[in-house]
Structures are given as structure tokens and as C-alpha cells.
Amino acid sequence: MLDTLAHALRKSPDRPAVLGTARNGAVRVMATCGDLADLTDHYAAALHARDIARGSTVGVAVRPGPRALAVMLAVHRLGARAAVLDPGAGPDVLRARLALARPDVVLADATAQAVAGWARPLARRAHLALPDLATLGPVATVGPRLPGCAPALETGVRSVVLPRPVDEDGDAVIVFTSGTTSRPRAVVHTRSSLAAGMATVTGLVPVEAERPVLGGTFFVLVPSLASGAPVALPARSPRVLVRQLRRLDPQATYLTPPQLRLLLAAGARFTGRVWTGSAPASADLLTRVKQAGAREAWGVYALTELFPAAAVEQADKAAFTGGGDLVGAPLPGVTARTDASGELLLSGPAARDRYLGEEPDPWVATGDRAHLEGGRIVLQGRLKDMVLRRAENIYPGLYEPALHVPGVELALLVGVPAGDGDERLVAVVQPGRGADRAALRAALTGPLGRMGSARPDAVLLADIPLSGRSRKPDRAATARLAAARLAEGARG
């Protein structure tokens, strides 16, 4: 797929590739196909001059956009692998992760270096933090330099003859996931698994050439651009994003559930197909997206280890009346089964090769408890999220979908310590903007009554904390919030 993209960029150099937006929603071209192709060659030559080749590791701390995409394409061309840096992980975690990956060079834009340096106090307010990048390896600046930045990537490069593109399989990207500072964990995708994942995206989301697509992830940019469709990076401000949608009229839109909720609250209208993932997407959320104009609204079940794994359209999800969260049938090439504990296991060409420092394993242990119903995957909660109450194991994911009645934005079931190793089960429900709280409690009466022995001990209406780049509901923080609220009630 990346090779296909390289040819497509050269074939139509004047065609818009990456689009941005002004505050009024007006579309602006950030890079044409020719710009991307030239930038990729430029970075590949500079990296080749630094002896980056097959087997090398390149740390990448570059904001999403044309430069980041060109860096990834350049690294791929040389047969090296990219280790993606997340500024939201914290400096101690990142330092431990990069000690495992041992990059030969770290490519960083001026913003990333500012976060690690003079702008650290400001960045901390936005929950961004990087260690001193120079402690992770040699650093080179991508894009415009600011005072105090490392030398530019191209410094000292004059005329370099690019080698032939590497066309053999091998490590392509390292993405850090879970783990601790003492035992970090990273997913390693090969060139073939990356290509398989992007081919699955292409089959799942066919796009027409020339018509824009809205989305900012690597798995959106590459297949869309390879198919001849320009990609618009989503505006950060919900108000600007609403205007961007109106001006752009995209054929396909990829946004996270938190982004969709903010857009709906701001009165956004959608066109074409809308896709969402990275965090749970309820049937109610997908229904609201279709009511706001989308022709189809899809929830995508994906993991860092296997992207994408399954997908379900709003109509099928809304019609599902069983227990748990229907995420759809496994996509072509994906095999699903469960083990003796009920954990969902996945395999397929798009599955990661291995975890860094470990042996290859064809099966991905998802950490999700699930069952297969009519060939479709129904999630029943995270295994580690199990709540133990009165010697009974309760899996929140089996019951949380039922709490998403109209007017509910998010809902979690969490355990709060009750002494002697037991826990109280608490439902924390986040009302939608303008929702009548009394009416909401009344609407929850039915679903709560049908929970049987899993009925919660308390129901709290509160905003649910979010975490990470995808702004997923933070269960640990929600449990602490519930414990504090119950303690306040006991004291009152």
C-alpha cells in the first residue's frame, strides 16, 4: 500500500493531498501530491546520509500532517522502522520505552522540542510532556527550526543518491502500548502486517477519487491518498470542525466518539459515511450521527495489535437486544475465537508480528471478554475490569450498553472497595448536554431492574474522566470519583 501511494503521488503531482482549514472552515491545501513526494525523497536522502537503512530504528516526534507522513514514507522506503513517540505518556515512561527501542536517531519538530524544553510548563497544562530528547539518542529537527532546536535533519547533506526502495518484509513500526517504566511493552508491526491492515481499510471504506475524506490517522491518510482522495486533517476546535464539515462535504469521516459527541452538541451536520473507533461507540451515539445527516454510521473495533478487526453499522447495532456490546463480524482475513476464560483471541494477516523483545505469536490476546453470536463478536467487558461483589464476578461490559438510554453520553460500572476484599458496584452516568436529570433517572429504572444480580449499589450522575490521545473513559479515575462521592454522601 505504501509503495502504491508513492507511485500515486508521482502520477498526479498537482493534485491536492493534505488539506487544512481556516477558522471560518475554509479549505486550504497544506500539501499537494508532488509536495509529499518531494518531501519524502528529501527526508529519505537525509536519513540515508546518516546511515539509516534496513534494521535501523527512527524515533518520530512530529505532529500529524504532511511532514509526519513524509517521514513515515521515507523510513519505509529505506527499510528502517519507526518508533512513534507519544508526548502524552510522560517523560519517565517515554524514556523507558525508548531505552527498549534504542533509536539510531530521533526526528522531532520544533513543537516537540519546545515541549521537552522551554515550553515544558505550558505543555504540562495540556498534559503533554517529553524528556530531554537528546537523552534518547541523536536528535534532528524536521521542519522550521527555532532557537535551541537540534540541527536540521538536512544539515551537511549535499548530493545523495537514493538507494532502490526496499521491497522485502521486515519491521515497519513500533507502537508503545501498555506496560510500566520497568517493563514497557511495544507492538511491532511488519511491512506486511501494516500493508494488510491498510488493505482491509480500503476494502471496508471504498472511496472515490477527488472527493475529500476527513480524518488524521496514518490508516486514513495512506489508503485514501493511494485511492486518489485528498484527506483533510480535522480541526481541533469543535466550532471550527463544524464549519469544516459544512464546507468540505466529505465522502467519509473518521472521528473518535468524544469528537463526535462534541460535534453533535455543537449542532454539526454530517455527510456520507461516518466511522468511529478508538473508544466504545454506543448504538445511541451512532443513531444520533445518522440523525445528523450521515448516510451510514459505523463503529470500528480495532486494536493497536490488529487494525481493524471488526465493524458494525448503526442499524445492526441498534437492533441488537442481547447482553453485551455488539462490535460486528470479523473483517475479511480476521479469525476470532475465545479461550477457556472467555477472552477474545484474534489472528490474521494484519495482526502484529510480536511484542518488542518477545517471540512472534500469531494470536492476539485482546484482554476483552467476549462471545461469538451468529459469527459476530459481542464484547462483555475487559477481563481486568471485573468487579468482585459478594463472591460474584461481575463484568461491567456485559451491562454498560443497557445504560446508554437517550440523554446519556457515557456510562461505566466501576467497583469501589467496601472492605474485606469486597466491592460496591457503582454506575457512573454522564448526562448529555441539557438532559433532564430527573427524567434520566426515570429512564434508567428499566435497564437497572433488568440487571438482576449485577444491579449497582448506587447510581451517580457525573462527568466521566477521559484519558489518552483517543480520550477513552478512564475507569480508574472514575472509580476514584465514585469513591469520593460516596464518602461525601456518607459524611453528609
Side-chain angles (χ1 to χ4, degrees):
M1 179 66 70
L2 290 171
D3 295 330
T4 301
L5 173 58
H7 292 304
L9 295 177
R10 285 296 182 199
K11 184 178 180 181
S12 306
D14 296 327
R15 178 167 54 83
V18 182
L19 309 175
T21 185
R23 291 192 62 81
N24 64 357
V27 178
R28 61 184 181 89
V29 177
M30 298 177 68
T32 64
C33 291
D35 293 335
L36 273 179
D38 290 344
L39 202 55
T40 298
D41 287 349
H42 190 61
Y43 291 156
L47 288 170
H48 179 58
R50 289 172 174 260
D51 296 324
I52 298 299
R54 184 176 173 83
S56 301
T57 300
V58 178
V60 180
V62 183
R63 285 171 298 169
R67 291 191 188 94
L69 178 58
V71 164
M72 297 297 286
L73 293 175
V75 171
H76 181 270
R77 174 175 180 148
L78 297 173
R81 63 183 185 182
V84 181
L85 301 177
D86 176 12
D92 294 339
V93 172
L94 274 174
R95 193 174 289 109
R97 289 175 173 180
L98 269 298
L100 178 64
R102 293 181 296 178
D104 297 279
V105 63
V106 176
L107 303 185
D109 57 22
T111 299
Q113 294 179 65
V115 167
W118 63 267
R120 186 179 288 116
L122 295 175
R124 195 176 295 122
R125 298 178 190 174
H127 305 289
L128 301 175
L130 286 170
D132 180 0
L133 295 175
T135 65
L136 305 178
V139 182
T141 299
V142 171
R145 290 182 67 247
L146 292 176
C149 283
L153 173 62
E154 304 86 347
T155 297
V157 177
R158 295 181 180 177
S159 58
V160 175
V161 178
L162 278 171
R164 293 178 60 85
V166 172
D167 60 1
E168 300 174 359
D169 201 8
D171 291 354
V173 64
I174 300 171
V175 184
F176 293 93
T177 55
S178 58
T180 64
T181 53
S182 59
R183 293 193 63 185
R185 207 172 199 204
V187 169
V188 180
H189 274 285
T190 60
R191 296 161 68 92
S192 59
S193 69
L194 207 59
M198 287 184 286
T200 302
V201 172
T202 302
L204 181 64
V205 194
V207 298
E208 301 174 20
E210 309 298 333
R211 291 191 61 198
V213 169
L214 179 68
T217 68
F218 189 68
F219 275 93
V220 172
L221 283 161
V222 172
S224 299
L225 291 173
S227 299
V231 179
L233 304 181
R236 293 185 179 183
S237 163
R239 290 184 179 180
V240 177
L241 187 48
V242 168
R243 301 184 192 114
Q244 184 182 20
L245 280 168
R246 186 168 58 246
R247 293 284 192 99
L248 200 64
D249 187 26
Q251 61 174 311
T253 298
Y254 301 75
L255 295 170
T256 64
Q259 286 176 309
L260 290 178
R261 286 192 288 269
L262 289 172
L263 281 174
L264 289 167
R269 299 294 299 175
F270 296 97
T271 57
R273 297 182 176 95
V274 176
W275 305 81
T276 190
S278 299
S282 67
D284 178 67
L285 177 62
L286 297 180
T287 298
R288 291 165 59 199
V289 169
K290 284 184 78 170
Q291 290 172 343
R295 185 167 74 252
E296 296 175 3
W298 289 80
V300 179
Y301 176 58
L303 304 93
T304 306
E305 291 87 346
L306 200 164
F307 184 101
V312 62
E313 209 277 324
Q314 175 272 339
D316 289 335
K317 187 147 187 167
F320 181 70
T321 58
D325 182 20
L326 174 69
V327 295
L331 293 170
V334 177
T335 301
R337 66 179 177 86
T338 56
D339 65 11
S341 69
E343 182 175 9
L344 177 66
L345 306 178
L346 299 173
S347 186
R352 55 95 185 96
D353 179 66
R354 66 193 188 281
Y355 292 102
L356 191 60
E358 300 180 18
E359 292 298 315
D361 183 352
W363 288 97
V364 173
T366 65
D368 289 320
R369 189 170 178 269
H371 70 272
L372 300 177
E373 187 171 315
R376 301 185 299 178
I377 299 171
V378 180
L379 300 183
Q380 297 175 299
R382 298 287 294 171
L383 287 171
K384 67 179 182 180
D385 294 332
M386 183 192 77
V387 178
L388 180 63
R389 182 178 65 172
R390 294 188 288 276
E392 181 181 3
N393 296 339
I394 299 172
Y395 292 93
L398 186 60
Y399 304 97
E400 286 168 349
L403 297 176
H404 284 86
V405 300
V408 171
E409 287 276 69
L410 290 172
L412 294 182
L413 288 169
V414 296
V416 174
D420 297 327
D422 202 4
E423 294 179 283
R424 295 182 69 188
L425 183 65
V426 181
V428 183
V429 177
Q430 178 175 313
R433 185 175 298 182
D436 183 299
R437 297 198 166 207
L440 196 57
R441 285 190 178 275
L444 288 168
T445 301
L448 291 170
R450 293 189 295 272
M451 286 187 180
S453 60
R455 180 166 183 152
D457 300 297
V459 177
L460 302 177
L461 300 186
D463 288 344
I464 290 175
L466 306 177
S467 65
R469 286 180 297 175
S470 59
R471 309 302 292 154
K472 293 182 180 180
D474 188 326
R475 287 187 179 274
T478 303
R480 292 193 295 270
L481 171 67
R485 289 286 187 90
L486 293 178
E488 289 173 5
R491 287 195 299 269

